[in-house]
Coordinates of all heavy atoms in Angstrom, one line a residue:
M1 N 0.9 -1.2 0.0 CA 0.0 -0.1 0.0 C 0.8 1.3 0.0 O 1.9 1.3 0.7 CB -0.9 0.0 1.2 CG -1.8 1.0 1.3 SD -3.1 1.0 2.6 CE -4.5 0.4 1.8
T2 N 0.6 2.2 -1.0 CA 1.4 3.3 -1.0 C 1.0 4.4 0.1 O -0.1 4.4 0.5 CB 1.3 3.9 -2.5 OG1 0.0 4.4 -2.7 CG2 1.7 3.0 -3.5
D3 N 1.8 5.4 0.2 CA 1.5 6.6 1.0 C 0.3 7.4 0.5 O -0.6 7.8 1.2 CB 2.7 7.6 1.1 CG 3.9 7.1 1.8 OD1 3.7 6.1 2.5 OD2 5.0 7.7 1.7
E4 N 0.2 7.3 -0.9 CA -1.0 8.0 -1.5 C -2.3 7.3 -1.1 O -3.3 8.1 -0.7 CB -0.9 8.1 -3.0 CG 0.3 9.0 -3.4 CD 1.6 8.3 -3.6 OE1 1.7 7.1 -3.2 OE2 2.6 9.0 -4.1
Q5 N -2.3 6.0 -1.1 CA -3.4 5.3 -0.7 C -3.9 5.5 0.9 O -5.0 5.6 1.2 CB -3.3 3.8 -0.9 CG -3.2 3.4 -2.4 CD -3.0 1.9 -2.7 OE1 -1.8 1.5 -2.5 NE2 -4.0 1.1 -3.1
I6 N -2.8 5.5 1.6 CA -3.0 5.7 3.0 C -3.6 7.1 3.2 O -4.7 7.4 4.0 CB -1.8 5.5 3.9 CG1 -1.4 4.0 3.8 CG2 -1.8 6.0 5.3 CD1 0.1 3.8 4.3
N7 N -3.0 8.1 2.6 CA -3.5 9.5 2.8 C -4.8 9.7 2.2 O -5.7 10.5 2.7 CB -2.4 10.6 2.2 CG -1.1 10.6 2.9 OD1 -1.1 10.3 4.0 ND2 -0.2 11.0 2.1
G8 N -5.1 9.0 1.2 CA -6.4 9.1 0.5 C -7.5 8.5 1.4 O -8.6 9.1 1.5
A9 N -7.2 7.3 2.1 CA -8.1 6.7 2.9 C -8.5 7.6 4.2 O -9.6 7.8 4.6 CB -7.7 5.3 3.5
A10 N -7.4 8.3 4.6 CA -7.6 9.2 5.8 C -8.5 10.5 5.4 O -9.3 10.8 6.2 CB -6.1 9.6 6.3
S11 N -8.2 11.0 4.1 CA -8.9 12.2 3.7 C -10.4 11.7 3.5 O -11.3 12.6 3.7 CB -8.2 12.7 2.4 OG -8.8 13.9 1.9
Q12 N -10.5 10.5 3.0 CA -12.0 10.1 2.8 C -12.8 10.0 4.0 O -13.9 10.4 4.2 CB -12.0 8.7 2.1 CG -11.9 8.8 0.6 CD -12.1 7.4 0.0 OE1 -11.2 6.6 0.1 NE2 -13.2 7.2 -0.7
A13 N -12.1 9.4 5.0 CA -12.7 9.3 6.5 C -13.1 10.6 7.0 O -14.2 10.8 7.5 CB -11.8 8.4 7.2
Q14 N -12.0 11.6 6.9 CA -12.2 12.9 7.4 C -13.4 13.6 6.7 O -14.3 14.2 7.3 CB -10.9 13.8 7.2 CG -11.1 15.2 7.6 CD -10.0 16.0 7.3 OE1 -9.0 15.6 6.6 NE2 -10.0 17.3 7.8
G15 N -13.5 13.4 5.3 CA -14.5 14.0 4.6 C -15.8 13.5 4.9 O -16.8 14.2 5.0
K16 N -15.9 12.2 5.0 CA -17.2 11.5 5.4 C -17.7 12.1 6.8 O -19.0 12.3 7.0 CB -17.2 10.0 5.4 CG -17.0 9.5 3.9 CD -16.9 8.0 3.8 CE -16.7 7.7 2.3 NZ -16.6 6.3 2.1
A17 N -16.8 12.1 7.8 CA -17.1 12.6 9.1 C -17.6 14.0 8.9 O -18.5 14.5 9.6 CB -16.0 12.5 10.0
Q18 N -16.9 14.9 8.1 CA -17.3 16.3 8.1 C -18.6 16.4 7.5 O -19.5 17.2 7.9 CB -16.3 17.1 7.2 CG -14.9 17.5 7.9 CD -14.0 18.2 6.8 OE1 -13.7 17.6 5.9 NE2 -13.6 19.3 7.4
K19 N -18.9 15.6 6.3 CA -20.4 15.7 5.8 C -21.3 15.3 6.7 O -22.4 16.0 6.7 CB -20.2 14.8 4.6 CG -19.7 15.3 3.3 CD -20.0 14.5 2.1 CE -19.5 13.2 2.0 NZ -19.7 12.5 0.8
A20 N -21.1 14.2 7.4 CA -22.1 13.8 8.4 C -22.4 14.8 9.4 O -23.5 15.1 9.9 CB -21.6 12.4 9.0
F21 N -21.2 15.3 10.0 CA -21.5 16.4 11.2 C -22.2 17.6 10.5 O -22.9 18.2 11.2 CB -20.1 16.6 11.8 CG -20.2 17.5 13.0 CD1 -20.6 17.0 14.2 CD2 -19.8 18.9 13.0 CE1 -20.8 17.8 15.3 CE2 -20.0 19.6 14.1 CZ -20.5 19.0 15.3
G22 N -21.7 18.0 9.4 CA -22.4 19.1 8.7 C -23.8 18.9 8.5 O -24.7 19.9 8.7
N23 N -24.3 17.8 8.1 CA -25.6 17.4 8.0 C -26.3 17.5 9.3 O -27.5 17.9 9.4 CB -25.8 16.0 7.3 CG -25.5 16.0 5.9 OD1 -25.7 16.9 5.2 ND2 -25.2 14.8 5.4
L24 N -25.8 16.9 10.3 CA -26.3 16.8 11.6 C -26.6 18.3 12.3 O -27.6 18.5 12.8 CB -25.3 16.1 12.6 CG -25.9 15.9 14.0 CD1 -27.1 14.9 14.0 CD2 -24.7 15.3 14.9
V25 N -25.7 19.2 12.1 CA -25.8 20.5 12.6 C -26.3 21.6 11.6 O -26.5 22.8 12.0 CB -24.5 21.0 13.3 CG1 -24.1 20.1 14.4 CG2 -23.3 21.2 12.3
G26 N -26.4 21.2 10.4 CA -27.0 22.1 9.3 C -26.0 23.1 8.9 O -26.4 24.2 8.4
D27 N -24.7 22.8 8.9 CA -23.6 23.6 8.5 C -23.2 23.2 7.1 O -22.6 22.2 6.7 CB -22.4 23.4 9.3 CG -21.3 24.4 9.1 OD1 -21.3 25.0 8.0 OD2 -20.5 24.6 10.0
Q28 N -23.8 24.1 6.0 CA -23.5 23.8 4.7 C -22.0 23.9 4.3 O -21.5 23.1 3.5 CB -24.3 24.8 3.8 CG -24.3 24.4 2.4 CD -25.3 25.2 1.5 OE1 -25.7 26.3 2.0 NE2 -25.6 24.8 0.3
K29 N -21.3 24.8 4.9 CA -19.9 24.9 4.5 C -19.2 23.7 5.0 O -18.3 23.3 4.4 CB -19.3 26.1 5.3 CG -17.8 26.4 5.1 CD -17.3 27.6 5.8 CE -15.8 27.6 5.5 NZ -15.1 28.5 6.5
M30 N -19.5 23.1 6.1 CA -18.8 21.8 6.6 C -19.1 20.7 5.7 O -18.4 19.9 5.4 CB -19.2 21.5 7.9 CG -18.5 20.4 8.6 SD -18.6 20.2 10.3 CE -17.5 21.5 10.9
Q31 N -20.4 20.7 5.1 CA -20.8 19.7 4.2 C -20.1 19.7 3.0 O -19.5 18.7 2.5 CB -22.3 19.8 3.9 CG -23.2 19.5 5.0 CD -24.7 19.9 4.7 OE1 -24.9 20.3 3.7 NE2 -25.6 19.7 5.7
V32 N -19.9 20.9 2.4 CA -19.1 21.1 1.2 C -17.6 20.8 1.4 O -17.0 20.1 0.6 CB -19.1 22.5 0.7 CG1 -18.2 22.9 -0.4 CG2 -20.7 22.9 0.3
E33 N -17.0 21.1 2.5 CA -15.7 20.8 2.9 C -15.5 19.3 2.9 O -14.5 18.7 2.5 CB -15.3 21.5 4.1 CG -14.9 22.9 4.0 CD -14.7 23.6 5.3 OE1 -14.5 22.9 6.4 OE2 -14.4 24.9 5.3
G34 N -16.5 18.6 3.6 CA -16.5 17.2 3.7 C -16.5 16.5 2.3 O -15.8 15.6 2.1
A35 N -17.4 17.0 1.4 CA -17.5 16.5 0.1 C -16.2 16.6 -0.6 O -15.7 15.7 -1.4 CB -18.6 17.1 -0.7
Y36 N -15.5 17.8 -0.4 CA -14.2 18.1 -1.0 C -13.2 17.1 -0.6 O -12.4 16.4 -1.4 CB -13.8 19.5 -0.8 CG -12.3 19.8 -1.2 CD1 -11.9 20.0 -2.5 CD2 -11.3 19.8 -0.2 CE1 -10.6 20.1 -2.9 CE2 -10.0 20.0 -0.5 CZ -9.6 20.2 -1.9 OH -8.4 20.3 -2.2
N37 N -13.1 17.0 0.7 CA -11.9 16.0 1.3 C -12.3 14.5 0.8 O -11.4 13.8 0.7 CB -12.0 16.2 2.9 CG -11.4 17.4 3.2 OD1 -10.3 17.8 2.6 ND2 -11.8 18.0 4.3
D38 N -13.6 14.2 0.8 CA -13.9 12.9 0.3 C -13.5 12.7 -1.2 O -12.8 11.6 -1.4 CB -15.5 12.7 0.5 CG -15.9 11.2 0.1 OD1 -15.1 10.3 0.4 OD2 -17.1 11.1 -0.1
A39 N -13.8 13.5 -2.0 CA -13.3 13.4 -3.4 C -11.8 13.6 -3.5 O -11.3 12.7 -4.3 CB -14.0 14.6 -4.1
K40 N -11.2 14.4 -2.7 CA -9.7 14.4 -2.7 C -9.1 13.1 -2.3 O -8.1 12.5 -2.9 CB -9.2 15.5 -1.7 CG -7.8 15.6 -1.6 CD -7.4 16.7 -0.6 CE -6.1 16.6 0.1 NZ -5.9 17.5 1.2
G41 N -9.7 12.5 -1.3 CA -9.3 11.2 -0.8 C -9.4 10.1 -1.8 O -8.5 9.2 -2.1
R42 N -10.6 10.1 -2.5 CA -10.8 9.1 -3.6 C -9.7 9.3 -4.6 O -9.2 8.2 -5.2 CB -12.2 9.2 -4.1 CG -13.3 8.8 -3.2 CD -14.6 9.1 -3.7 NE -15.7 9.1 -2.8 CZ -16.7 8.2 -2.7 NH1 -16.7 7.3 -3.7 NH2 -17.5 8.1 -1.7
S43 N -9.4 10.5 -5.1 CA -8.4 10.7 -6.1 C -7.1 10.2 -5.7 O -6.4 9.6 -6.4 CB -8.4 12.2 -6.5 OG -9.6 12.7 -7.0
L44 N -6.6 10.5 -4.4 CA -5.4 10.1 -3.9 C -5.3 8.6 -3.9 O -4.2 8.0 -4.2 CB -5.2 10.8 -2.6 CG -4.6 12.1 -2.5 CD1 -4.6 12.6 -1.0 CD2 -3.2 12.2 -3.0
E45 N -6.3 8.1 -3.4 CA -6.4 6.5 -3.4 C -6.3 5.9 -4.7 O -5.5 4.9 -4.9 CB -7.7 6.1 -2.7 CG -7.6 4.5 -2.3 CD -8.8 4.1 -1.4 OE1 -9.8 5.0 -1.2 OE2 -8.7 3.1 -0.9
T46 N -7.0 6.5 -5.7 CA -6.8 5.9 -7.1 C -5.4 6.1 -7.7 O -4.9 5.3 -8.3 CB -7.9 6.7 -8.0 OG1 -9.2 6.3 -7.5 CG2 -7.7 6.1 -9.5
F47 N -4.9 7.3 -7.4 CA -3.4 7.6 -7.8 C -2.5 6.6 -7.1 O -1.7 6.0 -7.9 CB -3.1 9.0 -7.5 CG -1.8 9.3 -7.8 CD1 -1.3 9.4 -9.2 CD2 -0.7 9.6 -6.8 CE1 0.0 9.7 -9.6 CE2 0.5 9.8 -7.2 CZ 0.9 9.9 -8.6
G48 N -2.7 6.3 -5.9 CA -1.9 5.4 -5.3 C -2.1 4.0 -5.8 O -1.0 3.3 -6.0
K49 N -3.1 3.5 -6.2 CA -3.3 2.2 -6.9 C -2.7 2.2 -8.2 O -2.0 1.3 -8.6 CB -4.8 1.9 -7.0 CG -5.6 1.5 -5.7 CD -7.0 1.3 -6.0 CE -7.7 1.1 -4.7 NZ -9.2 0.9 -4.9
A50 N -2.7 3.4 -9.0 CA -2.1 3.5 -10.3 C -0.5 3.3 -10.0 O 0.2 2.6 -10.8 CB -2.4 4.7 -10.9
M51 N 0.0 4.1 -9.0 CA 1.4 4.0 -8.8 C 1.9 2.6 -8.3 O 3.0 2.2 -8.6 CB 1.9 5.0 -7.8 CG 1.7 6.5 -8.4 SD 2.5 6.8 -10.0 CE 4.1 6.2 -9.7
D52 N 1.0 2.0 -7.7 CA 1.4 0.6 -7.2 C 1.5 -0.2 -8.5 O 2.4 -1.1 -8.5 CB 0.1 0.0 -6.4 CG 0.5 -0.3 -4.9 OD1 1.6 -0.2 -4.6 OD2 -0.4 -0.9 -4.2
S53 N 0.6 -0.1 -9.3 CA 0.7 -0.9 -10.7 C 2.1 -0.5 -11.4 O 2.7 -1.5 -11.9 CB -0.5 -0.6 -11.6 OG -1.6 -1.1 -10.8
V54 N 2.3 0.7 -11.4 CA 3.5 1.1 -12.1 C 4.7 0.6 -11.4 O 5.7 0.0 -12.1 CB 3.7 2.8 -12.1 CG1 5.1 3.2 -12.5 CG2 2.7 3.3 -13.0
D55 N 4.7 0.5 -10.1 CA 5.9 -0.1 -9.3 C 6.0 -1.6 -9.7 O 7.2 -2.1 -9.9 CB 5.8 0.0 -7.8 CG 5.9 1.6 -7.4 OD1 6.5 2.3 -8.2 OD2 5.4 1.9 -6.3
R56 N 4.9 -2.3 -9.9 CA 5.0 -3.7 -10.1 C 5.5 -3.9 -11.6 O 6.3 -4.9 -12.0 CB 3.6 -4.4 -10.1 CG 3.2 -4.6 -8.5 CD 1.9 -5.5 -8.6 NE 0.8 -5.0 -9.1 CZ -0.1 -4.2 -8.6 NH1 0.1 -3.7 -7.2 NH2 -1.2 -3.8 -9.1
L57 N 5.2 -3.0 -12.5 CA 5.6 -3.0 -13.9 C 7.1 -2.8 -13.9 O 7.9 -3.5 -14.7 CB 4.8 -2.0 -14.8 CG 3.4 -2.4 -15.1 CD1 2.8 -1.2 -15.9 CD2 3.4 -3.7 -15.9
V58 N 7.5 -1.8 -13.2 CA 9.0 -1.5 -13.2 C 9.8 -2.7 -12.7 O 11.0 -3.0 -13.2 CB 9.2 -0.3 -12.2 CG1 10.8 -0.1 -11.9 CG2 8.7 1.1 -12.8
D59 N 9.3 -3.5 -11.8 CA 10.0 -4.7 -11.4 C 10.1 -5.7 -12.5 O 10.9 -6.6 -12.4 CB 9.3 -5.3 -10.1 CG 9.3 -4.4 -8.9 OD1 10.3 -3.6 -8.8 OD2 8.5 -4.6 -8.0
K60 N 9.2 -5.6 -13.4 CA 9.2 -6.7 -14.5 C 9.9 -6.1 -15.7 O 10.3 -7.0 -16.6 CB 7.8 -6.9 -15.0 CG 6.9 -7.6 -13.9 CD 5.5 -7.8 -14.4 CE 4.6 -8.6 -13.3 NZ 3.2 -8.7 -13.7
V61 N 10.4 -4.9 -15.7 CA 11.3 -4.4 -16.9 C 12.5 -5.1 -16.8 O 13.2 -5.5 -15.8 CB 11.4 -2.9 -16.6 CG1 12.4 -2.3 -17.7 CG2 10.1 -2.1 -16.8
P62 N 13.2 -5.4 -18.0 CA 14.4 -6.0 -18.2 C 15.5 -5.2 -17.3 O 15.4 -3.9 -17.2 CB 14.8 -6.0 -19.5 CG 13.5 -5.9 -20.2 CD 12.5 -5.2 -19.4
A63 N 16.4 -5.8 -16.8 CA 17.4 -5.2 -15.8 C 18.1 -4.0 -16.4 O 18.3 -3.0 -15.7 CB 18.4 -6.2 -15.3
D64 N 18.4 -4.1 -17.7 CA 19.0 -3.0 -18.4 C 18.2 -1.6 -18.4 O 18.9 -0.6 -18.5 CB 19.4 -3.4 -19.8 CG 20.4 -4.6 -20.0 OD1 21.0 -4.9 -19.0 OD2 20.4 -5.1 -21.0
Y65 N 17.0 -1.8 -18.3 CA 16.1 -0.6 -18.4 C 15.5 -0.2 -17.1 O 14.8 0.8 -16.9 CB 15.1 -0.9 -19.3 CG 15.7 -1.2 -20.8 CD1 15.6 -2.4 -21.3 CD2 16.2 -0.1 -21.5 CE1 16.1 -2.7 -22.5 CE2 16.6 -0.4 -22.9 CZ 16.6 -1.7 -23.2 OH 17.1 -1.9 -24.5
R66 N 15.7 -1.0 -16.0 CA 15.1 -0.8 -14.8 C 15.3 0.6 -14.1 O 14.5 1.3 -13.6 CB 15.3 -1.9 -13.7 CG 14.4 -2.0 -12.7 CD 14.5 -3.4 -12.0 NE 14.1 -4.5 -12.9 CZ 14.6 -5.7 -12.9 NH1 15.6 -6.0 -12.0 NH2 14.2 -6.6 -13.7
D67 N 16.6 1.1 -14.2 CA 17.0 2.4 -13.6 C 16.2 3.5 -14.3 O 15.7 4.4 -13.6 CB 18.4 2.7 -13.6 CG 19.2 1.9 -12.7 OD1 18.7 1.4 -11.7 OD2 20.4 1.8 -12.9
K68 N 16.1 3.5 -15.7 CA 15.3 4.4 -16.4 C 13.8 4.4 -16.1 O 13.2 5.4 -15.9 CB 15.5 4.2 -17.9 CG 14.9 5.3 -18.7 CD 15.5 6.6 -18.6 CE 15.0 7.7 -19.4 NZ 15.6 8.9 -19.2
A69 N 13.3 3.2 -15.9 CA 11.9 3.1 -15.5 C 11.6 3.6 -14.2 O 10.6 4.2 -13.9 CB 11.5 1.5 -15.6
R70 N 12.6 3.4 -13.2 CA 12.4 3.9 -12.0 C 12.3 5.5 -11.8 O 11.7 6.1 -11.1 CB 13.5 3.4 -10.9 CG 13.2 2.0 -10.5 CD 14.3 1.6 -9.5 NE 13.8 0.2 -9.1 CZ 14.8 -0.9 -9.2 NH1 16.0 -0.6 -9.8 NH2 14.5 -2.1 -8.8
T71 N 13.2 6.0 -12.8 CA 13.2 7.5 -12.9 C 12.0 8.0 -13.4 O 11.4 9.0 -12.8 CB 14.4 7.9 -13.8 OG1 15.7 7.3 -13.3 CG2 14.5 9.3 -13.9
V72 N 11.4 7.3 -14.4 CA 10.1 7.8 -14.9 C 8.9 7.6 -13.9 O 8.2 8.5 -13.7 CB 9.8 6.9 -16.2 CG1 8.3 7.2 -16.6 CG2 10.7 7.2 -17.3
A73 N 9.1 6.4 -13.1 CA 8.0 6.3 -12.2 C 8.2 7.5 -11.0 O 7.1 7.9 -10.5 CB 8.1 5.0 -11.4
A74 N 9.2 7.8 -10.7 CA 9.4 8.9 -9.7 C 9.0 10.2 -10.1 O 8.5 10.9 -9.5 CB 11.0 8.9 -9.3
E75 N 9.3 10.5 -11.5 CA 8.7 11.7 -12.1 C 7.2 11.7 -12.0 O 6.6 12.7 -11.9 CB 9.3 11.9 -13.5 CG 10.7 12.4 -13.6 CD 11.0 13.7 -12.8 OE1 10.1 14.7 -12.9 OE2 11.9 13.8 -12.0
A76 N 6.6 10.6 -12.2 CA 5.1 10.4 -12.3 C 4.6 10.7 -11.0 O 3.5 11.3 -10.8 CB 4.8 9.0 -12.7
R77 N 5.3 10.2 -9.9 CA 4.8 10.7 -8.5 C 4.8 12.0 -8.2 O 4.0 12.5 -7.4 CB 5.7 9.8 -7.5 CG 5.4 8.4 -7.4 CD 6.2 7.9 -6.0 NE 6.3 6.5 -6.1 CZ 5.2 5.7 -5.9 NH1 4.1 6.1 -5.6 NH2 5.4 4.4 -5.9
K78 N 5.8 12.8 -8.9 CA 5.8 14.3 -8.6 C 4.7 14.9 -9.2 O 4.4 16.1 -8.9 CB 7.1 14.7 -9.2 CG 8.4 14.4 -8.5 CD 9.5 15.0 -9.1 CE 10.9 14.3 -8.5 NZ 12.1 14.9 -9.1
R79 N 4.0 14.4 -10.2 CA 2.9 15.1 -11.0 C 1.7 14.2 -11.0 O 1.3 13.6 -12.2 CB 3.4 15.3 -12.4 CG 4.5 16.3 -12.5 CD 5.0 16.6 -13.9 NE 6.1 17.4 -14.1 CZ 7.5 17.0 -14.0 NH1 7.8 15.8 -13.9 NH2 8.4 17.9 -14.0
P80 N 1.0 14.0 -9.9 CA -0.1 13.2 -9.9 C -1.2 13.5 -10.9 O -1.9 12.5 -11.4 CB -0.6 13.3 -8.5 CG 0.0 14.4 -7.9 CD 1.2 14.8 -8.8
L81 N -1.5 14.8 -11.1 CA -2.6 15.1 -12.0 C -2.3 14.7 -13.4 O -3.2 14.1 -14.1 CB -3.0 16.6 -11.8 CG -4.2 17.1 -12.7 CD1 -5.5 16.3 -12.4 CD2 -4.4 18.5 -12.6
V82 N -1.2 15.1 -13.8 CA -0.7 14.8 -15.2 C -0.7 13.2 -15.4 O -1.2 12.7 -16.5 CB 0.7 15.4 -15.5 CG1 1.2 14.9 -16.9 CG2 0.5 16.8 -15.5
T83 N -0.2 12.5 -14.4 CA -0.1 11.0 -14.5 C -1.4 10.4 -14.6 O -1.7 9.5 -15.4 CB 0.8 10.6 -13.4 OG1 2.0 11.1 -13.3 CG2 0.9 9.0 -13.4
T84 N -2.3 10.9 -13.7 CA -3.6 10.3 -13.7 C -4.4 10.5 -15.0 O -5.0 9.7 -15.6 CB -4.5 10.9 -12.6 OG1 -3.7 10.6 -11.2 CG2 -5.9 10.3 -12.4
L85 N -4.3 11.8 -15.4 CA -5.0 12.1 -16.7 C -4.3 11.3 -17.9 O -5.0 10.8 -18.8 CB -4.9 13.7 -17.0 CG -5.7 14.4 -16.2 CD1 -5.4 16.0 -16.4 CD2 -7.1 14.2 -16.3
S86 N -3.0 11.2 -17.8 CA -2.3 10.3 -18.9 C -2.8 8.8 -18.9 O -3.1 8.3 -20.0 CB -0.8 10.4 -18.8 OG -0.4 11.7 -18.8
V87 N -2.8 8.3 -17.8 CA -3.2 6.9 -17.6 C -4.7 6.8 -18.1 O -5.1 5.8 -18.7 CB -3.1 6.4 -16.2 CG1 -3.7 5.1 -16.0 CG2 -1.6 6.3 -15.8
A88 N -5.6 7.7 -17.7 CA -7.0 7.7 -18.1 C -7.0 7.8 -19.6 O -7.8 7.2 -20.3 CB -7.7 8.8 -17.4
G89 N -6.3 8.7 -20.2 CA -6.3 8.9 -21.6 C -5.9 7.6 -22.3 O -6.6 7.2 -23.4
V90 N -4.9 7.0 -21.9 CA -4.5 5.8 -22.5 C -5.4 4.6 -22.4 O -5.8 3.9 -23.4 CB -3.0 5.3 -22.0 CG1 -2.8 3.8 -22.4 CG2 -1.9 6.2 -22.3
G91 N -6.1 4.6 -21.2 CA -7.2 3.6 -21.0 C -8.4 3.9 -21.9 O -9.0 2.9 -22.5
L92 N -8.7 5.1 -22.1 CA -9.7 5.4 -23.1 C -9.5 5.2 -24.5 O -10.4 4.6 -25.2 CB -10.2 7.0 -23.0 CG -10.9 7.3 -21.6 CD1 -11.1 8.9 -21.6 CD2 -12.3 6.7 -21.6
M93 N -8.2 5.3 -24.8 CA -7.7 5.0 -26.2 C -7.9 3.6 -26.4 O -8.4 3.0 -27.4 CB -6.4 5.5 -26.5 CG -6.2 7.0 -26.8 SD -4.6 7.6 -27.1 CE -3.6 6.2 -27.3
L94 N -7.4 2.7 -25.4 CA -7.5 1.3 -25.6 C -8.8 0.7 -25.6 O -9.2 -0.1 -26.3 CB -6.7 0.6 -24.5 CG -5.1 0.8 -24.4 CD1 -4.6 0.3 -23.1 CD2 -4.6 0.1 -25.6
L95 N -9.7 1.4 -24.7 CA -11.2 1.0 -24.7 C -11.8 1.3 -26.2 O -12.5 0.4 -26.6 CB -11.9 1.7 -23.7 CG -13.3 1.5 -23.5 CD1 -13.6 0.0 -23.2 CD2 -14.0 2.3 -22.5
G96 N -11.5 2.4 -26.7 CA -12.0 2.7 -27.9 C -11.5 1.8 -29.1 O -12.2 1.3 -29.9
M97 N -10.3 1.4 -29.1 CA -9.8 0.5 -30.0 C -10.4 -0.9 -29.8 O -10.6 -1.6 -30.9 CB -8.1 0.3 -29.8 CG -7.4 1.6 -30.3 SD -5.7 1.6 -29.9 CE -5.1 0.1 -30.0
L98 N -10.6 -1.3 -28.5 CA -11.1 -2.7 -28.4 C -12.7 -2.6 -28.8 O -13.1 -3.6 -29.4 CB -11.0 -2.9 -26.9 CG -9.6 -3.3 -26.5 CD1 -9.7 -3.5 -24.9 CD2 -9.1 -4.6 -27.1
T99 N -13.3 -1.6 -28.5 CA -14.7 -1.5 -28.9 C -14.9 -1.4 -30.4 O -15.9 -2.0 -31.0 CB -15.6 -0.5 -28.1 OG1 -14.9 0.8 -28.3 CG2 -15.6 -0.7 -26.6
R100 N -14.1 -0.5 -31.1 CA -14.2 -0.5 -32.4 C -13.8 -1.7 -33.2 O -14.3 -2.2 -34.2 CB -13.3 0.6 -33.0 CG -14.0 2.0 -33.0 CD -13.2 3.0 -33.8 NE -12.5 3.7 -32.5 CZ -11.3 4.1 -32.5 NH1 -10.4 3.8 -33.5 NH2 -10.8 4.7 -31.5
G101 N -12.9 -2.5 -32.5 CA -12.4 -3.7 -33.2 C -13.5 -4.9 -33.2 O -13.6 -5.6 -34.0
G102 N -14.4 -4.7 -32.2 CA -15.4 -5.6 -32.1 C -16.6 -5.4 -33.0 O -17.5 -6.3 -33.3
R103 N -16.7 -4.2 -33.7 CA -17.7 -3.8 -34.5 C -17.5 -4.2 -35.9 O -18.4 -4.2 -36.7 CB -18.0 -2.3 -34.4 CG -18.6 -1.9 -33.1 CD -18.9 -0.4 -33.2 NE -19.2 0.1 -31.8 CZ -19.1 1.3 -31.5 NH1 -18.8 2.2 -32.3 NH2 -19.3 1.7 -30.2
R104 N -16.3 -4.6 -36.2 CA -15.9 -4.8 -37.6 C -16.5 -6.0 -38.2 O -16.9 -6.9 -37.7 CB -14.3 -5.0 -37.8 CG -13.8 -3.7 -37.6 CD -12.2 -3.8 -37.7 NE -11.6 -2.6 -37.5 CZ -10.3 -2.4 -37.5 NH1 -9.5 -3.3 -37.9 NH2 -9.8 -1.2 -37.1

């Protein structure tokens, strides 16, 4: 489990507690903050899972290229939004290719 996943789970728990307490006392600002923290936590957790997958892939790279792969993975960790959007984009492209391939 990555640090991102741990931080994401903590942020989600905090957000859910804030939303619940905001609902209880009728504090709309607290409800919105809770929703924000919950969404932030989900995003961090998803990013952590993606980085876990990247780390597993790096371990499977041929030894000659492993250092370069680790460097790329480290850069990906520094830019979570770009990395998440890139992975999502590649996933959508693959999905499009697979679904178009089935229609032929």
Side-chain angles (χ1 to χ4, degrees):
M1 184 175 256
T2 63
D3 290 343
E4 292 89 357
Q5 287 174 288
I6 294 167
N7 291 336
S11 186
Q12 272 184 292
Q14 177 189 5
K16 288 178 182 180
Q18 281 177 310
K19 280 195 295 189
F21 189 72
N23 286 334
L24 183 67
V25 297
D27 186 340
Q28 189 174 14
K29 181 181 177 195
M30 187 171 284
Q31 291 171 2
V32 170
E33 287 175 0
Y36 168 78
N37 284 325
D38 186 23
K40 176 181 157 188
R42 288 173 197 245
S43 296
L44 279 171
E45 192 171 10
T46 300
F47 177 69
K49 288 177 183 177
M51 290 310 302
D52 244 0
S53 296
V54 168
D55 290 340
R56 284 193 299 276
L57 288 173
V58 166
D59 291 339
K60 294 177 182 178
V61 169
D64 295 346
Y65 301 103
R66 206 164 286 146
D67 286 338
K68 185 66 173 172
R70 284 190 181 115
T71 301
V72 171
E75 287 301 314
R77 283 191 194 288
K78 292 179 188 176
R79 296 180 180 90
L81 181 59
V82 172
T83 302
T84 304
L85 290 174
S86 298
V87 170
V90 169
L92 287 173
M93 283 180 12
L94 290 173
L95 180 64
M97 290 169 38
L98 290 172
T99 55
R100 268 186 263 134
R103 292 184 194 162
R104 291 183 186 177

